[in-house]
Amino acid sequence: MTAEITTEELQNDHDYILPVYVKPDFVIERGEGAYLFDTKGRRYLDYTSGIAVNALGYGDPEVSQVIAEQATKLIHISNLYHNGPAGTLARLLIERSPAFAKVFFSNSGAEAIEGALKFARRYARDHFGEGKTNIIAFDGSFHGRTMGAVAVTAREKYRDPFMPVMPGVRFAGYNDIASLEVAMADDVCAILIEPIQGEGGLRTADTAFLKAARDLCDRYGALLIFDEIQCGMGRTGSFWAHETSGVAPDILTVAKPLAGGLPIGAILMSQAVADTIHAGDHGTTFGGNPLVTAVGSVVVRRIGDPAFLSHVREVADYLDESLQDLAATHPGRILELRGRGLMRGIRVNGSAAAVREAALEHGLLVVTAGEDVLRLLPPLIIEQQQVDEAIAILQRALGVLA
Ligand SMILES: *Cc1c(COP(=O)(O)O)cnc(C)c1O
């Protein structure tokens, strides 16, 4: 990982980019399907998808074509005027999601979280007056890097160097109904949950936990917010990850895969929430621009196709079986399999980063989630053969662990 600086691109990155990310010493030049190629022509099987962004893989012809066509027509006009693509994408999202009535488009996940927190406070103030401003978030949570989003993010490392962050946040135990009941009070305006935790280690929320959160919100007049920025849009084999629980939130945040790699975020909300937000209450310059939202509609249509989702479920089942076999052959090294669908975690007995490095040596890109969890986020278009390829590489890479 310590970069031996060889090419001009690496030199520029090294000299001028703020080194908040530690990167391996090659430069990626292009992608095709589930594969990336570096400037030396080396091929990598990509189980990161740009962190759950590239659901349709690389070089999707429809995505490229819509970008080219829309770019020649109109890229940006601001939200002072109507544009066609934003309305179409909003309609497609709402048609898929009966609990919601309106959409606000942002530019990133963190910005969707910020908006969701603002809307929750606004709703509480409208309905209950001042003082109902607290938010309950959970251990292991990750919601982004801005001041409000880090305030609801559990890991101290992301939050403490930047104190004071947004006040009014209380943490409860994930999947721990008793601790949620203790944290809940009249001064709480929202409970914020990732149905599957991403960065925090791939834990999956129990249906009973989501139901308990819903009940508590109803009892206390608080809003339930699900953050599906990473787990949403087909990754678990249903369009939204929470669908299978039967529990509907009042607000849903979406981002990563929504626009095929272009930056976007979205906040979906119920009519009751939308009723409390008025002209001028919130805004964004770039959010919902026609280029990004035109691509968003392609992605929503494609992922929303029942045949696409059934492909995801099939390949995810195959991945699950393969991971169980892998775990059975490495009982001392693999401690636990986590996650659902094509969002999987492997908790290892040792350093997940060491396994990630070894996998990279063999041409497989994976992410970590904390110290001891490997995170698998392949493009949703992978086939069984690319599961076999990844498992064969992991089989060897796990050898770095004692
Ligand atoms: C990535 C992520 C965010 C933040 O999104 P950005 O686009 O990086 O700001 C928020 N919540 C979850 C669950 C995420 O995975």
Side-chain angles (χ1 to χ4, degrees):
M1 274 318 245
T2 42
E4 183 197 326
I5 308 296
T6 45
T7 69
E8 192 187 326
E9 288 101 324
L10 281 178
Q11 191 70 50
N12 287 339
D13 191 324
H14 179 264
D15 288 352
Y16 300 113
I17 292 184
L18 188 70
V20 289
Y21 285 89
V22 179
K23 302 170 194 170
D25 56 355
F26 52 86
V27 176
I28 293 172
E29 191 172 50
R30 70 186 180 87
E32 206 180 299
Y35 296 95
L36 285 169
F37 298 84
D38 69 15
T39 47
K40 292 183 175 145
R42 196 171 167 215
R43 189 178 88 153
Y44 305 86
L45 176 58
D46 182 19
Y47 266 49
T48 72
S49 302
I51 316 185
V53 168
N54 303 311
L56 301 179
Y58 297 98
D60 183 86
E62 196 184 357
V63 167
S64 312
Q65 193 195 338
V66 168
I67 291 174
E69 280 171 10
Q70 186 60 45
T72 59
K73 270 194 256 171
L74 189 64
I75 294 173
H76 173 84
I77 48 169
S78 87
N79 285 300
L80 299 176
Y81 307 101
H82 290 292
N83 79 71
T88 303
L89 176 57
R91 175 172 60 76
L92 291 175
L93 286 168
I94 294 301
E95 280 175 356
R96 286 219 60 91
S97 324
F100 310 112
K102 291 282 192 286
V103 180
F104 177 88
F105 290 117
S106 65
N107 306 289
S108 67
E111 211 190 323
I113 292 292
E114 297 289 335
L117 298 176
K118 285 176 73 178
F119 295 171
R121 284 190 171 168
R122 181 65 214 256
Y123 175 92
R125 179 180 288 254
D126 264 29
H127 287 269
F128 303 95
E130 286 176 30
K132 193 176 177 65
T133 57
N134 287 310
I135 318 255
I136 297 180
F138 296 90
D139 62 5
S141 63
F142 179 86
H143 298 289
R145 304 289 199 153
T146 52
M147 283 296 182
V150 288
V152 288
T153 289
R155 218 158 143 198
E156 287 89 359
K157 185 182 138 188
Y158 292 155
R159 190 179 62 240
D160 288 359
F162 310 104
M163 293 293 237
V165 296
M166 181 191 75
V169 180
R170 213 169 273 166
F171 287 96
Y174 192 75
N175 277 335
D176 181 346
I177 296 173
S179 89
L180 176 55
E181 281 169 346
V182 169
M184 195 63 183
D186 284 327
D187 64 3
V188 170
C189 68
I191 297 178
L192 172 60
I193 305 178
E194 289 163 271
I196 301 174
Q197 292 187 329
E199 184 78 25
L202 283 295
R203 286 184 298 165
T204 302
D206 303 330
T207 297
F209 173 64
L210 297 179
K211 283 209 168 93
R214 177 73 273 173
D215 290 346
L216 285 168
C217 282
D218 293 344
R219 190 135 46 95
Y220 286 85
L223 298 180
L224 182 60
I225 307 173
F226 285 170
D227 178 352
E228 293 216 13
I229 288 169
Q230 188 160 158
C231 64
M233 293 197 65
R235 186 148 288 279
T236 60
S238 50
F239 195 81
W240 301 124
H242 72 269
E243 262 171 51
T244 46
S245 73
V247 178
D250 304 288
I251 295 179
L252 183 74
T253 58
V254 194
K256 289 185 164 95
L258 178 54
L262 298 184
I264 190 170
I267 309 165
L268 278 61
M269 69 204 84
S270 67
Q271 187 62 54
V273 175
D275 285 343
T276 64
I277 315 295
H278 307 291
D281 281 352
H282 193 52
T284 164
T285 299
F286 289 114
N289 89 39
L291 178 69
V292 174
T293 51
V295 181
S297 289
V298 171
V299 175
V300 170
R301 281 201 180 100
R302 290 269 292 282
I303 293 179
D305 181 340
F308 187 95
L309 290 172
S310 91
H311 168 79
V312 173
R313 287 192 296 272
E314 259 167 49
V315 78
D317 283 348
Y318 187 72
L319 174 63
D320 183 54
E321 287 162 24
S322 307
L323 286 173
Q324 295 199 30
D325 290 347
L326 184 72
T329 53
H330 293 275
R333 293 177 174 137
I334 295 183
L335 301 178
E336 191 188 351
L337 297 174
R338 292 181 177 174
R340 278 204 289 135
L342 293 180
M343 178 171 183
R344 298 303 306 262
I346 304 174
R347 190 160 72 87
V348 295
N349 189 8
S351 159
V355 182
R356 181 191 62 202
E357 297 318 303
L360 172 64
E361 290 302 312
H362 294 106
L364 174 70
L365 306 181
V366 294
V367 211
T368 55
E371 302 300 316
D372 61 352
V373 178
L374 275 180
R375 185 168 25 156
L376 309 182
L377 298 165
L380 306 185
I381 51 141
I382 53 158
E383 302 287 345
Q384 290 195 359
Q385 176 228 320
Q386 287 146 351
V387 172
D388 293 340
E389 201 180 324
I391 295 290
I393 292 174
L394 287 173
Q395 192 72 259
R396 296 160 73 184
L398 284 162
V400 298
L401 298 175

